[in-house]
Amino acid sequence: MNSYAEKLLLFSENIQDILKNTGVNIDPNIFFNKINKIYEEAFSDGGMKEAAFEVKEELEELENTELHIAITGETGSGKSTLINALRGLKAEDDGAAPVGVTETTLNPNVYVHPNYPKVNLWDLPGIGSPDFSPDSYLQKVDFLRYDFFIIVGSERFRSNLINLAQAIQKMEKKCYFVRSKVDSDLSNMEKSYPNTFNAEEVLEKMRNEFKKQLKKCFRNTIPQVFLISSWDLAKYDFPRLVETLEKDLPSLKRLAFLLSLPNFSPEFTEKKKSELKSQLWKISLMSAGINAFPIPIPIPIPDLPRLYVESFLVKSMVDFYKTFELDDDSLARRARLARKPVEELKAVMKSPQEKEITNDLVIKLITNCEKGLSWPSLVRSLVAAGVSFVITYWMLSSFLDNLADDAERVRKKALEPIALGRAPFSSSFLGVGDNWLIFVLVFITCFVFLCILSLLIQAVMI
């Protein structure tokens, strides 16, 4: 091959082909031998340094990829609520977009994702004035800044919104119509027609009405309409909106968008895991490459490559926690939302806590993987690249599997109803805690005692 970019592409495709046909849950030695053979063939010419350098640049490019999402629409349509939902927040959380019945957005306000600082959601001023001008509006909000626009409406899409969408398309940018507050509309319809109400029929009717409306206004590309509820992203058309954006966004921005979204369903958690696994070979190859050549420093330190690898892997694994919303801050936010102690959510996790991810733990996990592999192949790999690419890949893949399982357990635990009579957060009262049965028993005992005492007093007086 003429370049290491082509070689790395083929290297990645071969690994993905093995995973697709065999899966990761196979005999470690079979997996090791297959991947190790591809590894040796790809870098038999000693080009590990060049390969690791190219992979390092790709990982840095992904980490530095910025995504700017514009959310606009009419006043009171639910723009701020949608922004908070995409960031995994509620209005009461620190840094959340303010939510109100009156217009709270006068100028473009940026809200940075709590776990992905390069992902920015912009709350644009509401559209409501009769003399609205799309061109002046787009100029005011700095149109060129955004990667795509989400136009939010809570009823019919009025002429202002349609004119704005036409102007955005004319400037060759993507826009998507979102019909918010669908859950509220369905609830009202059910109250009005309790005997004949059918949710799917109502939703389909809404979609068809919007399609007819937009067909009259757009000659060429008709923007898609998505029915959503910001209170439950798993419902209605939000998964379809995610799939559409997957197709429309460039690769790096697409990945940044997917990883930043909250875990709103088991299927989406699996999608996140799959996306992260597609990047594991880069992390593993860079780790192996660091040990394959010395790092130029003024004073040689023999253990520096090993320490650098461990720190690099620690950072990558901590990033995995943030992606699955298992880091301490994300767990605290989810606990507040669920009105449960954060310890209750952490109790269902089987992976180490975020603060326990250290260099020592990385060494322990890699050592555990080494124990399950045949030593002759292992020695060859360690001689070639210090920390084996294959072992690192295997360790990270298993680690991801466990985190994805934990994310689903935490999500389910947070959705469980709070036990009747149990305080939402752990507290204590007179040293009793939240055991409400004790209070009930004490109350009944006192009541019975007072009744008996009253009867005795009456009997004595008689």
Side-chain angles (χ1 to χ4, degrees):
M1 291 188 180
N2 296 326
S3 70
Y4 274 97
E6 294 174 323
K7 180 173 287 189
L8 290 176
L9 178 61
L10 181 59
F11 183 62
S12 170
E13 290 175 349
N14 287 335
I15 292 176
Q16 295 304 318
D17 186 59
I18 288 177
L19 294 177
K20 191 180 298 182
N21 290 298
T22 62
V24 177
N25 298 320
I26 60 174
D27 186 314
N29 283 307
I30 296 175
F31 177 85
F32 181 91
N33 292 330
K34 287 178 177 290
I35 302 295
N36 194 47
K37 183 178 179 181
I38 297 174
Y39 177 87
E40 290 174 351
E41 290 175 353
F43 306 111
S44 58
D45 58 356
M48 174 56 69
K49 179 176 180 179
E50 290 84 352
F53 180 76
E54 290 194 21
V55 166
K56 179 176 181 292
E57 286 187 328
E58 287 185 20
L59 290 173
E60 289 177 349
E61 186 180 4
L62 173 60
E63 188 173 358
N64 295 322
T65 295
E66 293 188 0
L67 181 64
H68 295 273
I69 304 172
I71 312 288
T72 186
E74 293 182 330
T75 300
S77 61
K79 297 184 285 97
S80 299
T81 303
L82 176 59
I83 287 176
N84 291 335
L86 294 175
R87 299 166 68 219
L89 303 178
K90 295 299 179 186
E92 293 179 337
D93 289 328
D94 293 336
V99 175
V101 294
T102 59
E103 179 58 57
T104 58
T105 307
L106 301 178
N107 296 299
N109 290 323
V110 63
Y111 294 95
V112 179
H113 193 283
N115 288 339
Y116 288 86
K118 298 293 183 180
V119 175
N120 302 280
L121 293 100
W122 292 82
D123 191 358
L124 303 189
I127 302 167
S129 61
D131 57 346
F132 169 76
S133 168
D135 293 333
S136 60
Y137 178 85
L138 292 175
Q139 184 178 2
K140 176 183 177 182
V141 300
D142 193 5
F143 169 81
L144 295 177
R145 172 193 290 152
Y146 312 108
D147 293 290
F148 62 91
F149 289 75
I150 294 178
I151 302 176
V152 184
S154 58
E155 296 176 0
R156 290 181 62 83
F157 293 115
R158 306 184 193 280
S159 58
N160 284 350
L161 299 182
I162 292 174
N163 292 339
L164 177 62
Q166 290 172 334
I168 292 172
Q169 282 192 345
K170 187 177 179 180
M171 297 182 183
E172 299 183 348
K173 285 215 175 183
K174 294 282 188 179
C175 66
Y176 309 89
F177 281 109
V178 161
R179 173 67 160 78
S180 64
K181 304 181 181 180
V182 174
D183 45 357
S184 177
D185 293 331
L186 289 176
S187 176
N188 291 334
M189 288 293 291
E190 186 174 13
K191 291 175 183 177
S192 301
Y193 303 94
N195 297 323
T196 59
F197 173 77
N198 184 294
E200 286 303 319
E201 289 181 0
V202 174
L203 291 172
E204 192 59 29
K205 184 177 179 181
M206 291 172 64
R207 294 188 187 100
N208 292 334
E209 288 178 352
F210 288 128
K211 287 178 183 178
K212 290 179 182 178
Q213 181 189 6
L214 296 179
K215 279 183 179 180
K216 297 176 182 179
C217 306
F218 293 87
R219 293 182 179 179
N220 299 320
T221 305
I222 301 175
Q224 296 189 60
V225 178
F226 302 91
L227 312 179
I228 72 165
S229 165
S230 296
W231 304 113
D232 190 346
L233 296 179
K235 288 184 175 181
Y236 316 122
D237 293 342
F238 184 77
R240 191 166 62 87
L241 172 61
V242 172
E243 292 176 2
T244 302
L245 288 168
E246 276 189 82
K247 299 174 184 176
D248 292 349
L249 287 172
S251 59
L252 292 179
K253 291 182 182 290
R254 165 190 164 278
L255 187 57
F257 173 69
L258 288 177
L259 297 183
S260 70
L261 290 176
N263 300 322
F264 58 84
S265 71
E267 295 78 13
F268 188 70
T269 300
E270 282 298 310
K271 181 185 286 290
K272 274 191 176 183
K273 183 175 77 170
S274 176
E275 292 293 339
L276 287 174
K277 283 198 173 186
S278 70
Q279 301 295 313
L280 286 188
W281 71 270
K282 297 179 183 179
I283 300 172
S284 305
L285 189 61
M286 183 175 168
S287 300
I290 291 171
N291 284 272
F293 62 92
I295 298 176
I297 52 174
I299 302 174
I301 302 176
D303 286 338
L304 181 59
R306 180 181 64 83
L307 294 174
Y308 188 91
V309 167
E310 292 164 5
S311 299
F312 172 69
L313 291 177
V314 166
K315 179 185 179 303
S316 299
M317 293 162 76
V318 169
D319 288 343
F320 295 162
Y321 274 79
K322 293 180 179 179
T323 298
F324 286 113
E325 299 178 282
L326 296 175
D327 58 293
D328 290 340
D329 290 340
S330 296
L331 287 172
R333 286 193 295 269
R334 188 181 283 270
R336 287 196 301 271
L337 177 62
R339 298 183 61 79
K340 294 180 179 180
V342 68
E343 291 76 15
E344 191 171 324
L345 301 186
K346 290 183 177 181
V348 301
M349 292 177 57
K350 297 183 179 180
S351 302
Q353 298 298 315
E354 177 195 9
K355 62 184 179 182
E356 298 173 2
I357 304 300
T358 62
N359 289 10
D360 290 339
L361 180 64
V362 168
I363 295 173
K364 179 181 178 181
L365 293 175
I366 290 177
T367 301
N368 290 339
C369 288
E370 290 176 0
K371 292 177 181 178
L373 299 174
S374 55
W375 278 101
S377 297
L378 175 62
V379 171
R380 288 200 304 272
S381 183
L382 290 175
V383 169
V387 177
S388 166
F389 163 83
V390 186
I391 294 174
T392 305
Y393 190 101
W394 182 271
M395 182 274 288
L396 290 176
S397 183
S398 300
F399 187 78
L400 265 181
D401 286 334
N402 294 333
L403 279 187
D405 291 342
D406 281 340
E408 186 55 21
R409 279 190 284 266
V410 168
R411 190 186 70 85
K412 289 181 178 179
K413 189 66 178 178
L415 292 175
E416 288 180 1
I418 300 174
L420 181 64
R422 187 180 69 82
F425 297 98
S426 50
S427 58
S428 61
F429 179 72
L430 299 178
V432 178
D434 62 355
N435 192 342
W436 64 278
L437 288 175
I438 294 179
F439 293 103
V440 174
L441 291 174
V442 170
F443 176 80
I444 293 174
T445 302
C446 292
F447 179 77
V448 172
F449 175 77
L450 290 174
C451 290
I452 295 174
L453 182 62
S454 176
L455 292 173
L456 290 174
I457 293 175
Q458 293 179 14
V460 170
M461 293 179 65
I462 292 174

